[in-house]
Amino acid sequence: MEKNIAYLIPVIANLVRYTLIAGIPFLIFYILFPHKFSRQKIQQKLSKPKDWIREFTHSLQTMGVFSIIALIIIFSPMKDYTQIYRDIHAYALWWIPASILLAVVIQDTYFYWMHRTIHHRRLFRTFHLVHHRSTNPTPLASHAFNVSESILEALIIPIILMIIPMHLYSVLGFIVLGLMFNVYGHLGYEIMPRWFRHTFLFHIMNTSVHHNLHHEKFKGNYGYYFRIWDRLMGTENPDYVKKYDEIQAQRFPTPSKRSYEMLKIFPVLILLPVICLATQPSSSSSIVGLWKDSDAGGVISIYEKDGKYYGRLISADDPEENEQIQGLDIIVLKNFKDKGDGAFCCGTLFQPKYQRTLDADLTLVNDSTLEIEASYGIFSGMRIWKRL
């Protein structure tokens, strides 16, 4: 009798895990408060109840496959080939979080290549079509696979357990973390805080927008936790950063909009600052003009065209390089948008010396200082330009 109950534990655990981690966000964002979070919606169209039912029924099927894999790992001879341990002192305590992090890296690598492979036209219908019927996914789609893909998804668990030792708590933590991130990827809403965009984490981690674009466009953005493989292999959707910034701009009104709201409420209090701002020279809020790159040298002329900002390299410090660029129309900044409050986003920076193009954001720190934050692959850095 006790053994029969033991067999049911993986089944019950999988169902409870999915119901709580996928069900609660679905209830909040799609049933109870969809209008409250409308600014965070990635695709404005709404999925239908028939889509929710399809996602849920396929996820139940996946839970069955995952439970069978768990039973095989726990009760079959395979358990002798895994490195699960129960004595918490068998390894150093720091190994518990470290093993979870290592498992995440292994899973992300496995998932990228497996996911990209089953997008091949000869494999897609057999393995991945069911999941991609959710072109506008909800949290219920996080495990909406057919049987063949469910098996591929579940295989990473025995693979990891045969490669690295993991305490039982680490295994449970890793499985819960995996589903939480999966649900976030399929949420259909972006919930990352505003500050996330300006940290190194943005350049390596996936977001809900990142995976939502994969479902909408059916290609690119194959990673699970990280952007690293997509960026290294050139499979990241080129519109990702632009789309992410558009969603965040909807969520977080620019300071000028907030000031307008304050003006309606407190006209007397802010009248004087408004007058002061209106009398400032236009150059204090504009990046148009000549700039000197204090690190690499060179003079760049920034100009506005059709509401976007561009920068032309007009001279270099090195006489030989300066002679080479004369007569050439080298555009080093492209397609920057004024987001207000001195922020210019979503453009590119071209480095003539290395012949490479980087994603970049500009920040007008003050009238004479411009910060350029650029990223290439998994690397990022900052330059300072001074107004001439």
Side-chain angles (χ1 to χ4, degrees), residues 43-61:
Q43 297 184 47
Q44 289 307 307
K45 62 181 180 180
L46 298 175
S47 55
K48 300 177 180 179
K50 66 177 183 179
D51 298 314
W52 306 343
I53 294 171
R54 172 179 46 77
E55 292 171 347
F56 179 70
T57 53
H58 280 291
S59 292
L60 286 180
Q61 176 182 269

Side-chain angles (χ1 to χ4, degrees), residues 83-85 96 99-100 157 160-161 164-177:
Q83 299 191 61
I84 299 178
Y85 64 94
I96 290 181
S99 63
I100 295 176
I157 300 297
I160 289 174
L161 295 180
I164 61 174
M166 295 188 74
H167 188 271
L168 183 60
Y169 292 159
S170 300
V171 178
L172 296 176
F174 167 65
I175 292 173
V176 169
L177 176 64

Side-chain angles (χ1 to χ4, degrees), residues 329-349:
D329 188 21
I330 302 177
I331 307 299
V332 293
L333 297 182
K334 285 186 178 180
N335 298 319
F336 285 89
K337 298 179 182 178
D338 186 353
K339 305 301 288 186
D341 198 30
F344 299 79
C345 81
C346 321
T348 59
L349 169 66

Side-chain angles (χ1 to χ4, degrees), residues 167-305:
H167 188 271
L168 183 60
Y169 292 159
S170 300
V171 178
L172 296 176
F174 167 65
I175 292 173
V176 169
L177 176 64
L179 180 56
M180 290 175 64
F181 208 91
N182 198 357
V183 166
Y184 166 57
H186 294 88
L187 186 60
Y189 294 79
E190 188 51 70
I191 59 174
M192 279 295 183
R194 189 175 195 169
W195 54 261
F196 176 78
R197 176 65 175 84
H198 303 289
T199 68
F200 78 97
L201 292 174
F202 176 78
H203 301 289
I204 63 173
M205 285 184 62
N206 283 342
T207 63
S208 193
V209 172
H210 194 275
H211 193 68
N212 194 278
L213 272 174
H214 174 77
H215 276 263
E216 183 182 5
K217 305 299 183 182
F218 275 62
K219 60 186 293 187
N221 295 10
Y222 298 112
Y224 193 107
Y225 299 97
F226 307 118
R227 296 172 62 189
I228 297 173
W229 280 112
D230 277 304
R231 300 185 75 175
L232 287 176
M233 304 309 297
T235 55
E236 186 170 80
N237 188 301
D239 295 328
Y240 163 59
V241 175
K242 176 184 176 182
K243 180 70 173 178
Y244 180 89
D245 286 338
E246 288 175 352
I247 297 297
Q248 295 295 68
Q250 289 177 188
R251 295 178 61 197
F252 305 109
T254 61
S256 59
K257 290 182 180 178
R258 288 198 299 269
S259 296
Y260 177 72
E261 294 300 320
M262 291 178 64
L263 182 60
K264 294 191 296 184
I265 301 172
F266 306 109
V268 177
L269 292 178
I270 73 163
L271 182 60
L272 184 59
V274 169
I275 294 173
C276 292
L277 286 172
T279 59
Q280 290 294 316
S282 61
S283 62
S284 64
S285 60
S286 174
I287 59 173
V288 172
L290 297 179
W291 296 87
K292 173 78 170 181
D293 187 326
S294 58
D295 296 314
V299 175
I300 298 91
S301 173
I302 298 182
Y303 59 96
E304 182 182 358
K305 180 181 178 182

Side-chain angles (χ1 to χ4, degrees), residues 61-182:
Q61 176 182 269
T62 297
M63 290 299 100
V65 174
F66 284 5
S67 298
I68 292 172
I69 299 293
L71 288 170
I72 292 173
I73 294 173
I74 297 171
F75 296 107
S76 80
M78 179 181 284
K79 69 178 183 297
D80 298 327
Y81 297 93
T82 68
Q83 299 191 61
I84 299 178
Y85 64 94
R86 294 177 179 273
D87 181 1
I88 200 168
H89 299 293
Y91 292 84
L93 290 179
W94 60 263
W95 176 246
I96 290 181
S99 63
I100 295 176
L101 178 60
L102 183 55
V104 163
V105 173
I106 295 172
Q107 183 187 21
D108 186 75
T109 300
Y110 170 87
F111 182 83
Y112 174 86
W113 291 104
M114 180 273 291
H115 189 193
R116 185 175 174 182
T117 299
I118 62 178
H119 265 267
H120 190 280
R121 59 186 178 85
R122 294 184 179 179
L123 301 175
F124 182 81
R125 182 172 294 274
T126 301
F127 288 93
H128 205 38
L129 177 60
V130 166
H131 188 63
H132 267 282
R133 284 178 178 159
S134 298
T135 56
N136 188 17
T138 76
L140 300 180
S142 56
H143 279 339
F145 312 126
N146 63 13
V147 173
S148 57
E149 184 173 4
S150 298
I151 294 172
L152 290 178
E153 295 276 349
L155 281 178
I156 188 58
I157 300 297
I159 290 173
I160 289 174
L161 295 180
M162 287 188 288
I163 294 175
I164 61 174
M166 295 188 74
H167 188 271
L168 183 60
Y169 292 159
S170 300
V171 178
L172 296 176
F174 167 65
I175 292 173
V176 169
L177 176 64
L179 180 56
M180 290 175 64
F181 208 91
N182 198 357

